[in-house]
């Protein structure tokens, strides 16, 4: 299991060091600093073995978090734990920075004592932790006996993510379908790979211990209903279009996985506040909101001509926002002239790219940029690698075609029903890695 | 309030000041001081001198202060054991506190203080906490048992904490269950043979129930523990798989990977034609692909694991090539791993896409990545024949870029392509030669020289080219020197007239001026060859080379199997067994995949099932009577009867290899599948025959034994019979002792039993039954014990056996589980029968058939081993073996060696052909066996 956890600043100074196992000595702290943080070459692996001791690390801004062990631990678990640790710290004191860590070191030690025991991760749900570990010192000294047992039963219980007795005057639930659409396209416009990775993020402000059921236009569910149900052929043909094939999905730990496996229904008791209900991935019938058509021409050895056309491919009534096209330029660029029809374009020498920004763009439109790039002659034999043209944008629909069909809330003990709950649904599609090779 | 100020004190006399502050009366000041102490401790300053002062602050009702003091204690208690005792009272008191959080805190901290005296005091509070009413305290106490075990294992056993821990597996709270499982798993690791984690269908059921309810971390502990279980049969395996598959949708990647591990392992037991098997395969792909959208570090772990999974079961991800395409912004470690998997998945169906990608990668910036991409193109050419041409032209394009390292890498892989497809792409040699000057890496230079030498007759100026390399001969690396030597010799053999001077030059450079023994030796060999027999030299040096195989970088199968059992862990990331990077005994146990078994409505004892299944990975493998030993037996060489635990096998690795091979072989034995599996033959080869020292007995004695054989028992056939041994000791069977052996008499297999009544009462009503076994052995009649067996009476019975009973693969292959019933109870035991019992009388093959068959059987089915210290001549051996139905078909004498060709037929129709090489005067025989399945 995890033998110890260290946090370093960018210089390699230790900010936090907590050792859980006897086989880890103080020299491990230095070994990591010398061999990884101060290593001459770029780090080639997030797992390093130094003298039969294994180090796992992740970096958040310029802070290094390292886990050390001498055993054959579950590597996936260690990284999941490190991410979780970062989440917990962020939710306690915001950004992970040297200053914040130093300011909260007592708190961090306390958290480390609670969420790792002998190197075994324990409950790491912030909601539960905050009931008894706070920045203002530990609660628990003036708690009543009931409060204490409530805490312990939540920390260890089946529903560790929610406490009893939550009350809201207005029962409200916000549901965001956030998708990032990823594309890799060849210069000829052939889709090399495309997928949508989506998340359903909820903010729930519900009283009591509500039982929720979430439904979407999942092909498997709709086909099943279509087959056995009353809907006849007409219904079938429409449902065929409206449903989407989900390649795979993963759920927050509140979702009953066995129920999903057997009935494909998503039922859960939600955590309070904001959380990610599910993640999913689709690869079929993706709506690619933009198409990028590049044209790069080398004119002699010292000049490049670039022309890039972007076409929006969605309903004309919708508006895409925050559009940014990034056209890489060679390292030996000496000057750039840009002309664009819409938006603003600038050559950014420090980033080796032309950045073209458009605030808004409606569907079924097209726009164009052309640039002349002047190059310094070099002796470098190696050709320019031509990194792909990348794009950023935001659109108000789900590129996967996912639709929320229902979200039902049942709370039998309290007197509010599904109808009393105010529900908000929003779809946002963003660019993930959206690249066109040129 | 900011705490960063605590880090800034660096004044001299700081310790002194802190001491004063710690002893201050004001609570706030005390707390501040302790915080400063902890900050100093963090940055590595030695503040152990403050020990008594800090411990004095422990008795406080301020929980925050208390936690800080505990943190200090955990760090320094070991260096100040005597003073640490001062803290004991507070701990013991805290363990009784009304607040469960404080009780847990005390027991948690106490377990981290590795001081003997403190651990003694820990026992009582721990015992209470293990039974605490609050689950939070219980889950903390469960982990504390593991801590205590790490400090003092004996104490934990003596105090009976292990049993309490086992009880916690049935706790009502899922987190307590999870922590108990984690603690037990860890303790069990350091006691490989203890049956601590007594996994049986009931406890597995409990774990599977807890799995649905506990935290993500708890799910990981439970899944990792489940992976150590070996189900009894395919039905149990399937039902566990069904309950584990929902975990594949968990958001935590570690849960997913651990579930994949369980499924990959248990899948081994499912029959491939089962519908569910196909469903499961399909269910595995999507979650694996999803792992690739996790954070980069997790992607890396996932990719290393996928690399293993793709090697074990390529069918899972064969359609998912695209997801492994490299993204421009992927970290380099992700890129390299993706590339590796792409090559593994490359096939005729997707090769065009793959090549287009690889060509793209070859223009990237990172040198390592580009090199690997170029190398990958070469591997594609070798793997997918149809693409070879396109690969070669892609490589030529890349050479045109003149990027130095790309050119060098391309030349290295083109050499391999020549070796795979000789006389096909030599037209490109001219282009390669153009780049001769730019090569500065040894590997590329050596590859180029090899090409020039190999195709010297087609390169006009080959002598000039090689001569140019010769100038700096001494500065070259050994690799290049060796290659140059060989290439020039080849050139000389092809064009002797013009190159005599050159070859002499290189030979003298290699033999006289070099101090590298390899180079010198090779030089001398060539020199002598050339001077004594140029024709022979030509035959040797220019001999046709074997084609290189397509997959050279696959992980060796037994290691792969072990790594599959470690999916998700560090071992799977390093692609090394845990023993390679873990110190001490912990976690170095070799794991292996379960073998496939039929579903048994176990007619036999339930405890046989659990004993075999319960802790198979942990249990020290019992000695397998290997086939090698067996043939030794037939020649009456091995004095150790197969069922006693003989000398230990040389290495566990070997042992497992043998088992796996036998396991693999059995599938084909059962299914009558003639495929390429190395079944029996491999079994022969894999088992090293371990000879006891007593074999060095005088020759006369040994021969005497041989001729004595069978005389006492009066066997007509003279087949080898192992001596009787005790199968069932009286202690285990309420006074009934059974010893016995197996014999083959007049074509009938007999189980010869001696029943002894060592109890005080009379035994009657004997009956016997066998479990299903590998060769379908079953009693042909009832057990003939007609008279009651009185106290201290002994009876010998002989039970005829048939081979038409139900078949189930056993491990080891020749294991037989037996149940004996009498008026008192039913008793179970297992024994092992010599394979030779199954050799049938009509095992003599026709000479012609033998000859044809011998040639027909693929080499894969062949294996070889040595029989040592057998002082028999070939005729005597032949007649001796004939007694055991091993028939000599032909005999041939080549250069003083007698070659005996023999055939054996097993009761289930499998033929084994063997060649026994006997050299006069040499007591060591060489045996080559090959196998063919029956009609």
């Amino acid at each position: 299991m995890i033998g110890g956890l260290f946090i370093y600043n960018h210089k390699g100074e230790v900010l936090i060091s907590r050792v859980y196992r006897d086989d880890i000595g103080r020299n491990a702290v230095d070994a990591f600093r010398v061999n990884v943080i101060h290593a001459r070459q770029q780090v080639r692996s997030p797992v390093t073995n130094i003298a039969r001791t294994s180090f796992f690390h992740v970096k958040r801004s310029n802070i290094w978090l390292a886990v050390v062990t001498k055993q054959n631990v579950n590597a996936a678990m260690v990284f999941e734990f490190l991410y979780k640790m970062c989440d917990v710290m962020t939710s306690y004191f915001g950004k992970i920075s040297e200053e914040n860590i130093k300011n909260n070191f007592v708190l961090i030690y306390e958290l480390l004592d609670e969420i790792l025991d002998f190197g075994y991760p324990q409950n790491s749900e912030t909601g539960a932790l905050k009931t008894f570990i706070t920045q203002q010192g530990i609660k628990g000294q003036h708690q009543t006996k009931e409060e204490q047992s409530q805490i312990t039963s939540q920390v260890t219980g089946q529903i560790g993510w929610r406490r009893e007795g939550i009350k809201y005057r207005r029962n409200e639930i916000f549901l965001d379908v956030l998708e990032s659409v990823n594309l890799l396209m060849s210069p000829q416009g052939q889709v090399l790979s495309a997928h949508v990775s989506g998340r359903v993020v909820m903010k729930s402000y519900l009283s009591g211990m509500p039982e929720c059921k979430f439904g979407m236009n999942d092909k498997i569910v709709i086909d099943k209903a279509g087959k056995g149900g009353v809907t006849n052929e007409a219904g079938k043909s429409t449902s065929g279009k409206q449903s989407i094939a989900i390649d795979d999905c993963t759920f927050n730990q509140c979702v009953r996985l066995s129920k999903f496996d057997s009935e494909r229904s998503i039922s859960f008791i939600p955590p309070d506040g904001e959380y990610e209900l599910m993640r999913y991935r689709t690869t079929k019938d993706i709506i690619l909101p933009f198409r990028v058509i590049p044209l790069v021409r080398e004119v002699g050895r010292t000049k490049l001509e670039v022309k890039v056309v972007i076409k929006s491919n969605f309903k004309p009534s919708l508006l895409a926002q925050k559009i940014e096209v990034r056209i890489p330029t060679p390292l030996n660029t000496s000057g750039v002239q840009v002309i664009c029809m819409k938006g603003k374009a600038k050559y950014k020498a420090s980033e080796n790219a032309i950045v073209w920004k458009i605030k808004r763009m409606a569907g079924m439109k097209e726009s164009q940029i052309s640039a002349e790039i002047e190059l310094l002659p070099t002796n470098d034999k190696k050709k320019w690698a031509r990194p792909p043209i990348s794009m950023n944008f935001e659109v108000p629909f789900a590129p996967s075609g996912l639709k929320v069909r229902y979200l039902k809330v049942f709370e039998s003990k309290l007197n509010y029903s599904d109808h009393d709950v105010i529900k908000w649904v929003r779809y946002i599609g963003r660019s993930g890695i959206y690249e066109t090779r040129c | 309030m900011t705490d960063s100020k605590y880090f800034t004190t660096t004044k001299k006399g700081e310790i002194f000041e802190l001491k004063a502050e710690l002893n201050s009366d004001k609570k706030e000041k005390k707390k501040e001081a302790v915080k400063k102490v902890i900050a100093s401790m963090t940055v590595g300053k030695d503040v152990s001198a403050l020990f008594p002062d800090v411990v004095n602050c422990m008795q406080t009702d301020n929980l925050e202060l208390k936690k800080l003091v505990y943190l200090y204690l955990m760090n320094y208690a070991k260096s100040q054991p005597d003073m640490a005792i001062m803290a004991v009272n507070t701990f013991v008191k805290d363990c009784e506190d009304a607040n469960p959080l404080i009780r847990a805190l005390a027991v948690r901290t106490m377990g981290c203080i590795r001081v003997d005296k403190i651990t003694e005091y820990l026992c009582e509070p721990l015992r209470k906490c293990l039974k605490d009413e609050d689950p939070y305290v219980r889950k903390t106490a469960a982990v504390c048992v593991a801590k205590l075990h790490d400090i003092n294992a004996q104490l934990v056993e003596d105090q009976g904490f292990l049993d309490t821990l086992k009880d916690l597996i049935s706790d009502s709270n899922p987190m307590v269950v999870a922590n108990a499982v984690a603690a037990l798993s860890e303790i069990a690791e350091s006691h490989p043979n203890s049956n601590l984690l007594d996994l049986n269908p009931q406890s597995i059921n409990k774990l599977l129930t807890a799995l649905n309810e506990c935290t993500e971390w708890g799910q990981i502990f439970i899944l990792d523990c489940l992976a150590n279980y070996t189900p009894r049969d395919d039905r149990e395996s399937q039902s566990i798989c069904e309950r584990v598959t929902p975990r594949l949708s968990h958001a935590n990647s570690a849960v997913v990977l651990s579930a994949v591990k369980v499924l990959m392992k248990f899948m081994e037991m499912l029959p491939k034609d089962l519908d569910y098997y196909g469903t499961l395969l399909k269910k595995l792909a999507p979650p694996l692909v999803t792992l690739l959208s996790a954070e980069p570090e997790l992607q890396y772990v996932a990719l290393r694991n996928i690399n293993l999974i793709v090697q074990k079961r390529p069918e899972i991800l064969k359609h998912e090539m695209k997801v492994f395409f490299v993204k421009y912004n992927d970290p380099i470690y992700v890129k390299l791993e993706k590339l590796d998997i792409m090559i593994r998945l490359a096939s005729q169906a997707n090769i065009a896409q793959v090549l287009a990608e690889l060509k793209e990668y070859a223009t990237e910036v990172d040198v390592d990545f580009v090199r690997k991409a170029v190398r990958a193109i070469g591997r594609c050419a070798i793997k997918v024949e149809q693409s070879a041409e396109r690969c070669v032209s892609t490589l030529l394009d890349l050479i045109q870029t003149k990027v130095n390292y790309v050119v060098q890498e391309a030349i290295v892989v083109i050499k391999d392509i020549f070796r795979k497809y000789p006389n096909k792409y030599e037209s490109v040699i001219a282009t390669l030669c153009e780049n001769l000057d730019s090569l500065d890496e040894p590997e590329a230079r050596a590859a180029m020289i090899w090409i020039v030498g190999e195709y010297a007759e087609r390169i006009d100026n080959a002598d000039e080219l090689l001569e140019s390399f010769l100038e700096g001969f001494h500065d070259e690396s050994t690799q290049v020197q060796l290659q140059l030597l060989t290439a020039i010799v080849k050139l000389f053999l092809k064009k002797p007239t013009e190159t005599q001077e050159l070859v002499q030059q290189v030979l003298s450079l290699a033999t006289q001026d070099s101090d590298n023994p390899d180079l010198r030796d090779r030089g001398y060999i060539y020199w002598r060859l050339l001077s004594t027999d140029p024709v022979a030299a030509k035959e040797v040096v220019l001999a046709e080379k074997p084609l290189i195989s397509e997959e050279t970088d696959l992980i060796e199968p037994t290691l792969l199997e072990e790594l599959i059992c470690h999916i998700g862990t560090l071992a799977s990331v390093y692609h090394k067994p845990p023993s390679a990077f873990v110190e001490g005994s912990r976690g170095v146990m070799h794991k292996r995949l379960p073998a496939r078994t039929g579903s048994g409505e176990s007619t036999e004892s339930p405890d046989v099932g659990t004993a075999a299944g319960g802790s198979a990975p942990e249990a020290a493998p019992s000695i397998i009577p290997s086939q090698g030993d067996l043939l030794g037996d037939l020649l009456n060489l091995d004095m150790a009867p197969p069922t006693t635990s003989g000398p230990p096998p040389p290495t566990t690795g070997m042992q497992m290899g043998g088992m796996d091979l036998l396991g693999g072989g059995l599938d084909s034995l059962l299914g009558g599948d003639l495929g390429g599996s190395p079944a029996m033959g491999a079994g022969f080869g894999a088992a090293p025959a371990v000879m006891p020292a007593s074999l060095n007995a005088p020759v006369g004695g040994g021969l005497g034994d041989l001729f004595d054989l069978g005389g006492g028992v009066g066997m007509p056939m003279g087949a080898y019979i192992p001596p009787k041994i005790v199968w069932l000791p009286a202690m285990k069977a309420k006074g009934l002792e059974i010893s016995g052996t197996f014999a083959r008499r007049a074509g009938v297999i007999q189980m010869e039993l001696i029943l002894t009544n060592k109890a005080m009462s009379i035994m009657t009503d004997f009956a016997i039954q066998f479990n299903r076994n590998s060769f379908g052995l079953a009693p042909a009649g009832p057990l003939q014990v007609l008279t009651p067996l009185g106290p201290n009476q002994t009876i010998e019975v002989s039970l005829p056996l048939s081979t038409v009973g139900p078949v189930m693969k056993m491990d080891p292959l020749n294991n037989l589980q037996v149940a004996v019933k009498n008026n008192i109870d039913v008793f179970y035991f297992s024994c092992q029968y010599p394979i030779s019992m199954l050799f049938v009388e009509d095992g003599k093959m026709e000479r012609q058939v033998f000859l044809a068959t011998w040639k027909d059987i693929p080499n894969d089915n062949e294996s070889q081993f040595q029989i040592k210290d057998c002082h028999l001549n070939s005729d005597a051996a032949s007649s001796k073996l004939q007694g055991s139905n091993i028939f000599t078909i032909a005999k041939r004498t080549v250069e003083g060696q007698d070659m005996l060709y023999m055939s054996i037929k097993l009761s289930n129709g499998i033929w084994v052909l063997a060649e026994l090489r006997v050299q006069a005067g040499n007591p060591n025989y060489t045996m080559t066996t090959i196998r063919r399945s029956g009609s």
Side-chain angles (χ1 to χ4, degrees), chain B residues 102-120:
Chain B
I102 293 186
R103 290 202 296 276
L105 177 65
V107 81
R108 184 166 67 212
T109 313
M110 241 175 135
C112 294
I113 297 179
R114 305 176 65 91
V115 174
D116 280 344
K117 283 178 196 159
I118 291 202
T119 44
E120 281 166 27

Side-chain angles (χ1 to χ4, degrees), chain B residues 88-319:
Chain B
V88 164
N89 254 338
T90 319
F91 279 127
V92 175
K93 218 174 84 194
D94 280 358
C95 286
E96 307 268 329
D97 198 284
N99 186 342
L101 292 171
I102 293 186
R103 290 202 296 276
L105 177 65
V107 81
R108 184 166 67 212
T109 313
M110 241 175 135
C112 294
I113 297 179
R114 305 176 65 91
V115 174
D116 280 344
K117 283 178 196 159
I118 291 202
T119 44
E120 281 166 27
Y121 287 103
L122 176 60
C123 291
E124 277 321 302
L126 178 58
R127 199 186 313 282
K128 269 186 212 153
C129 288
L130 280 166
K131 304 217 159 115
D132 200 286
E133 54 172 19
D134 194 291
Y136 183 78
V137 181
R138 288 201 302 276
K139 72 110 185 162
T140 312
V143 176
C144 191
V145 175
K147 291 179 188 168
L148 191 57
H149 187 270
D150 192 40
I151 304 171
N152 190 342
Q154 196 56 47
L155 185 70
V156 169
E157 279 165 42
D158 295 347
Q159 296 278 336
F161 285 139
L162 294 181
D163 292 325
T164 323
L165 201 53
K166 276 190 213 167
D167 293 343
L168 287 184
I169 289 192
S170 314
D171 199 281
S172 57
N173 184 294
M175 195 160 180
V176 178
V177 178
N179 276 5
V181 166
L184 276 174
S185 304
E186 175 164 344
I187 295 171
E189 255 181 35
S190 50
H191 290 278
N193 295 324
S194 70
N195 203 13
L196 252 188
L197 268 167
D198 179 26
L199 295 178
N200 53 50
Q202 290 78 38
S203 61
I204 290 293
N205 197 31
K206 277 181 204 155
L207 293 184
L208 286 168
T209 313
L211 188 60
N212 287 324
E213 293 166 352
C214 60
T215 65
E216 46 195 328
W217 314 115
Q219 297 187 18
I220 299 169
F221 307 153
I222 292 180
L223 287 168
D224 285 351
C225 171
L226 269 180
N228 288 329
Y229 175 64
T230 310
R232 284 171 310 169
D233 52 43
D234 52 350
R235 264 184 285 153
E236 191 189 0
S237 178
Q238 178 176 345
S239 84
I240 296 175
C241 287
E242 279 166 356
R243 293 178 69 178
V244 167
T245 32
R247 298 298 121 197
L248 294 175
S249 308
H250 201 286
N252 186 314
S253 308
V255 175
V256 176
L257 268 178
S258 290
V260 168
K261 164 165 59 191
V262 174
L263 296 174
M264 282 293 285
K265 205 177 160 190
F266 290 7
M267 242 171 127
E268 288 291 310
M269 296 184 69
L270 300 178
K272 289 207 163 58
D273 48 358
L274 194 71
D275 283 347
Y276 182 70
Y277 180 84
T279 322
L280 198 53
L281 274 183
K282 273 192 213 120
K283 276 193 173 171
L284 276 170
L288 288 174
V289 173
T290 299
L291 290 176
L292 298 184
S293 40
E295 290 84 346
E297 292 88 3
L298 265 176
Q299 273 188 54
Y300 174 72
V301 173
L303 285 164
R304 293 292 284 175
N305 279 289
I306 289 172
N307 200 327
L308 298 172
I309 293 168
V310 164
Q311 288 184 54
K312 180 72 190 160
R313 295 190 179 277
E315 63 271 31
I316 294 178
L317 288 166
K318 66 178 174 205
H319 299 303

